[in-house]
């Protein structure tokens, strides 16, 4: 007789994973190498160490080690907010009348409000261990900036956050949270950098962009002593840190003998999706499971579903190393009416490769449908979700209703990446029915694709 | 050898209490009875049922039953967000260098952001069970309004929330949260009631007050079919529902053989403090422990430390039953620069009686000291606390530092009633150093005392 499954499946503290799982080690066909933008040759550790912490660079390039130990000083920080709960959505199942079992991994119980803290803590820990005294980064929606501010407060590092100007104006409380944790927050573009001044000269009234904020953060880190730049998604070492999400979820499900049939994650740069699916995808690659994996992205920024698989830059100034990924082109700008995060033009290389090779499905959703799902979920499950996470909720509800139609008793797991407490302006526009959808035309996409570099590897 | 105590002490789902603990049943000297404001005789159930749900009235008047069963349909809702974590403050202990052990019960992990949901859920459950279709209430800082909106969304009841006008303007996101959960939010004073119109006539530009919002909510409930009024603090049945906080905390500590030497709670109307201490106070009354209990209130609204023990009204319009409690007078208004909640003029009768009889200590704190403690706690423990909860944090830090001075290894437990995610404007004013303190003068207090009714029982 199976054990009764509680609403909240908590692991014990000693069950928090002590190593991260490196999915690439089990991939038969590996992602293509990162290229140096000048030489177009594979980037070396030395190339990347000019910008990133050494240990993160090592992890970024590591395709062979299966388990990477989590240092004790970082495990200590993880114990401040982990294990994160895995929740059986009994209320949602009942409300939908579905025979499916629905579970979600809730990563929003920490003050930064999302899974981003898992990698922020790791990157701050390594920076401190390597003798650095400060870090720079950028933030758009603000979850990553909040997470880095918390991590730097804990490890005693100075932090400068370039926050996309329009976002810092629309989200004064997110800005206040970051400042409460002691970070120096600069609305971007700013006069503090060459790249910022250049953009302001050309366009004094710009609201800024993520690509521009990245350029400012990198420039500042390079010219500051004992300082490096940190990024919250897209890169492989970030996905490695996030594998703790999937490892905890799998450990909790295994206690009750449960194996997911479908795993769903929202996808912007891919940090949550990659972390959530990692150990389950390893099982699938090894032929141990037939789990389906579904990425859900906004219809307004559809890199998987309408992008190209090509080498591209990470920033609009075209200064970063080149990554082979699904991309809309670094020049692509999602419509201004797009509310949540998930507005990055590219997708993590590991996930891009898995999608290319057929291990991963993808679909997109328009934001009014996403907020319909968000408000339904909030009322039924009692948790107000982040707009990003609500993309996964929308797909989970759709899959559960499909089970209702077919009578199949599938097990669905999705990632609740965070809470929406600092996204109330988007909820206000949804409540007031002033929220609208925007789907880029083919011509819009062509403009973005034109910014993808014409290099031999892209022919 | 004692079991290693984890950072988070979770109970299993089946360990969530199935009954509330009625502290009055164990009190040797009971609180004085509630009086009907017209007759000045003990209020009967029939008197109170005109305003409140029947089951809540029964609980309000029950001095004898020790354990009151929590109905299964309500236990189900509790499982959506309980058990709430009890956290060992290892990080704070280390940062302070204290030999004390510090624990806190974290009630802010649900979307409403505080312990208020424990009673909101109960009151909505009983309203539904009694065949009511709608409820009315008031909210100041907004935690109670959010909790009621969540509970009414779950049980399918209409809810009208009168929100103090200045608060609804200063906290647009709190307002948006309440509306997202489907409640009808009306800034108070409003034109929807007699009492609101009267106040607007006299003072068209008023920002409103809690007392006025209570009057509007009661008026609307009385004139609406199948509708009752609900209150989030001060009353005895609210404290009964909140006893689940203390019961869970005690059960978790007992697993590790830990008994608190000091228990600290913030005090406004007393709902959290009363709930947190209830079972531990029962032990003390029965001579089973020597635990000290400390109430911490804002220096700007000091009902315990500078108030009078007298029969008083709950609202400024002087329409409610009379409660014997520590009060500043229903006419007392805390200074406008006071940031958080805890701005009610009176204190729950059970707690008032315990304080009067020497079972409970009380102290006050000025708000800049409270925010100093809040920001310190946020950086060290990784949780941004509500301003209300931070009063308890301030006292817990003081007691832990006293242990450092004396070398005593005391066990300190405090209530973290909620998170500060919807209180960022107060943090912004703290960060900008524009926050100030205000302590009422004796003359200010005399003005408030003048509003306490001159009845024989108060001679």
């Amino acid at each position: 007789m199976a054990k009764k499954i509680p609403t909240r499946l908590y692991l014990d503290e000693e069950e928090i994973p002590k190593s991260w799982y490196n999915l690439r080690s089990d991939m038969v066909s590996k992602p293509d190498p990162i290229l140096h933008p000048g030489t177009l040759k594979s980037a070396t550790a030395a190339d990347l160490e000019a910008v990133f912490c050494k240990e993160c660079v090592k992890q970024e390039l590591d395709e062979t080690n299966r388990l990477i130990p989590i240092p004790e000083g970082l495990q200590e920080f993880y114990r401040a907010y982990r294990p994160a709960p895995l929740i059986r959505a009994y209320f949602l199942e009942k409300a939908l009348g579905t025979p499916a079992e629905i579970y979600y991994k809730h990563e929003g119980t920490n003050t930064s409000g999302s899974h981003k803290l898992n990698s922020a803590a790791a990157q701050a820990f390594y920076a401190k261990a390597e003798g650095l005294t400060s870090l720079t980064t950028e933030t758009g929606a603000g979850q990553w900036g909040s997470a880095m501010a918390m991590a730097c407060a804990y490890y005693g590092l100075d932090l400068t956050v370039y926050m996309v100007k329009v976002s810092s104006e629309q989200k004064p409380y997110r800005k206040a949270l970051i400042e409460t944790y002691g970070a120096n927050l600069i609305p971007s573009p700013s006069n503090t950098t060459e790249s910022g001044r250049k953009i302001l000269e050309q366009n004094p009234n710009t609201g800024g962009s993520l690509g521009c904020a990245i350029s400012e953060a990198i420039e500042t880190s390079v010219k500051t002593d004992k300082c490096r730049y940190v990024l919250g998604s897209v890169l492989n070492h970030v996905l490695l840190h996030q594998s703790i999400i999937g490892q905890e979820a799998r450990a909790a499900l295994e206690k009750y003998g449960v194996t997911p049939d479908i795993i769903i994650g929202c996808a912007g740069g891919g940090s949550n999706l990659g972390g959530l699916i990692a150990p389950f995808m390893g099982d699938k690659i090894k032929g141990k499971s037939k789990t389906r994996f579904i990425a859900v992205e906004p219809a307004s920024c559809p890199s998987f579903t309408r992008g190209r698989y090509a080498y591209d830059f990470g920033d609009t100034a075209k200064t970063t190393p080149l990554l082979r990924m699904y991309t809309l082109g670094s020049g692509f700008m999602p419509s201004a009416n797009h509310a949540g995060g998930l507005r990055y033009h590219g997708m993590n290389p590991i996930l891009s490769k898995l999608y290319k090779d057929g291990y991963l499905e993808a679909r997109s959703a328009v934001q009014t449908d996403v907020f319909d799902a968000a408000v339904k979920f909030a009322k039924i499950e009692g948790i107000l979700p982040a707009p990003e996470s609500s993309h996964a909720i929308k797909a989970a509800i759709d899959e559960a209703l499909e089970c209702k139609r077919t009578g199949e008793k599938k097990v669905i797991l999705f990632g609740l990446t965070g809470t929406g407490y600092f996204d109330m302006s988007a909820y206000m526009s949804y409540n007031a029915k002033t929220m609208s959808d925007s789907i880029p035309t083919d011509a819009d996409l062509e403009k973005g694709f034109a910014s993808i570099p014409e290099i031999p590897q892209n022919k």
Side-chain angles (χ1 to χ4, degrees), chain A:
Chain A
M1 165 87 191
K3 219 165 147 186
K4 155 95 170 78
I5 297 173
T7 308
R8 289 175 172 241
L9 293 73
Y10 279 106
L11 295 175
D12 290 333
E13 185 165 279
E14 57 267 31
E15 294 172 310
I16 301 175
K18 293 184 171 49
S19 305
W20 292 299
Y21 168 61
N22 184 7
L23 176 58
R24 272 171 300 171
S25 68
D26 284 326
M27 285 169 73
V28 184
S29 174
K30 313 279 185 200
D32 291 318
I34 300 172
L35 299 185
H36 186 286
T39 65
L40 298 185
K41 289 189 180 150
S42 291
T44 63
D47 292 338
L48 300 177
E49 282 168 9
V51 176
F52 300 103
C53 301
K54 280 183 189 163
E55 194 62 30
C56 292
V57 168
K58 200 173 140 196
Q59 294 171 352
E60 186 65 27
L61 300 174
D62 186 346
E63 291 189 339
T64 51
N65 288 296
R66 203 166 168 277
L67 294 175
I68 315 281
I70 302 172
E72 169 51 33
L74 176 56
Q75 286 184 41
E76 184 182 273
F77 188 98
Y78 279 173
R79 286 195 290 270
Y81 69 98
R82 304 199 71 82
L86 179 74
I87 301 179
R88 172 77 183 267
Y90 281 119
F91 301 98
L92 184 61
E93 290 170 17
K94 193 175 160 190
L96 297 175
T98 177
E101 284 182 21
I102 309 174
Y103 298 83
Y104 53 99
K105 182 71 173 162
H106 184 4
E107 288 288 326
T109 55
N110 70 78
T111 283
S112 79
S114 84
H115 70 292
K116 295 280 183 182
L117 192 54
N118 301 328
S119 184
Q123 297 192 52
F125 171 83
Y126 288 126
K128 186 73 180 180
E130 288 169 23
L132 302 177
T133 55
S134 65
L135 292 171
T136 69
T137 196
E138 78 293 325
T139 200
Q143 292 180 336
W144 173 247
S146 308
M148 276 310 304
M150 283 180 70
C152 287
Y154 183 77
Y155 287 112
L157 292 160
D158 290 333
L159 175 69
T160 299
V161 179
Y162 287 92
M163 186 168 187
V164 177
K165 194 195 240 167
V166 60
S167 183
S168 76
E169 287 163 358
Q170 280 170 358
K171 297 190 170 187
Y173 295 165
R174 182 58 92 171
K175 180 170 175 282
L177 180 68
I178 294 170
E179 289 177 336
T180 299
Y181 275 92
N184 174 28
L185 190 146
I186 302 174
S188 165
S190 75
N191 280 314
T192 65
T193 65
E194 198 84 31
S195 44
R197 285 189 291 270
K198 203 164 152 189
I199 289 168
L200 284 175
E201 252 169 47
Q202 290 163 358
N203 188 353
N205 298 319
T206 177
S209 72
L210 212 49
C212 165
I214 293 177
S215 301
E216 290 206 278
I218 294 178
E219 185 185 325
T220 299
S221 83
V222 169
K223 72 186 182 201
T224 307
D225 197 36
K226 295 195 179 176
C227 181
R228 288 292 183 282
Y229 165 75
V230 290
L231 184 68
S233 192
V234 187
L235 297 175
N236 297 329
H237 67 275
V238 178
L239 262 75
L240 177 72
H241 304 153
Q242 296 296 356
S243 67
I244 197 167
I245 304 173
Q247 291 172 288
E248 277 190 4
R250 198 174 65 156
L253 288 173
E254 271 179 357
K255 281 194 175 184
Y256 296 91
V258 175
T259 308
D261 297 302
I262 303 174
I263 302 181
I264 301 168
C266 62
S271 72
N272 157 70
L273 177 69
L276 175 67
I277 70 173
F280 300 99
M281 182 62 84
D283 290 342
K284 177 161 175 164
I285 290 172
K286 287 179 266 178
K288 287 190 198 168
S289 86
K290 293 186 173 176
T291 305
R292 282 173 59 203
F293 299 91
I294 305 173
V296 192
E297 58 186 16
S300 54
C301 194
S303 50
F304 266 142
T305 53
R306 297 175 70 196
R308 289 196 181 154
Y309 188 60
Y311 270 105
D312 199 5
F313 291 100
D315 65 338
T316 41
K318 301 191 176 190
T319 60
T320 68
L322 292 161
L323 304 177
R324 187 150 198 190
M325 57 184 178
Y326 279 87
T327 180
L328 298 165
S330 63
F332 176 81
M333 284 287 285
S335 163
N337 79 346
H338 173 75
L342 309 180
R343 48 189 301 134
Y344 192 70
H345 66 278
M347 185 59 65
N348 163 268
I350 296 172
L351 294 171
S352 292
K353 181 68 176 163
L354 290 168
Y355 181 62
K356 176 84 178 162
D357 291 349
Y359 286 97
L360 176 67
E361 304 166 36
R363 63 181 68 164
S364 70
V366 297
Q367 72 179 354
T368 51
D369 287 349
V370 166
F371 275 82
D372 282 346
V375 172
K376 179 180 265 191
F377 181 82
K379 289 181 179 174
I380 295 169
E381 285 285 317
I383 299 170
L384 188 88
E388 297 82 6
S389 323
S390 305
H391 288 75
I393 294 172
K394 154 82 178 131
I397 290 175
D398 288 347
E399 291 297 323
L401 291 176
E402 177 62 15
C403 285
K404 185 179 184 177
R405 204 183 59 75
T406 63
E408 286 174 290
K409 199 175 147 50
K410 287 187 183 166
V411 175
I412 300 168
L413 166 66
F414 72 88
L416 185 74
T417 56
T419 50
Y421 308 148
F422 290 91
D423 301 287
M424 292 315 298
S425 57
Y427 277 97
M428 283 164 83
S429 106
Y430 175 80
N431 291 343
K433 301 191 195 314
T434 57
M435 177 174 277
S436 60
D437 295 322
S438 69
I439 301 174
T441 64
D442 288 343
D444 293 335
L445 293 183
E446 283 305 327
K447 273 184 224 163
F449 293 149
S451 67
I452 297 174
E454 293 187 23
I455 59 172
Q457 287 86 341
N458 277 346
K459 299 290 174 196

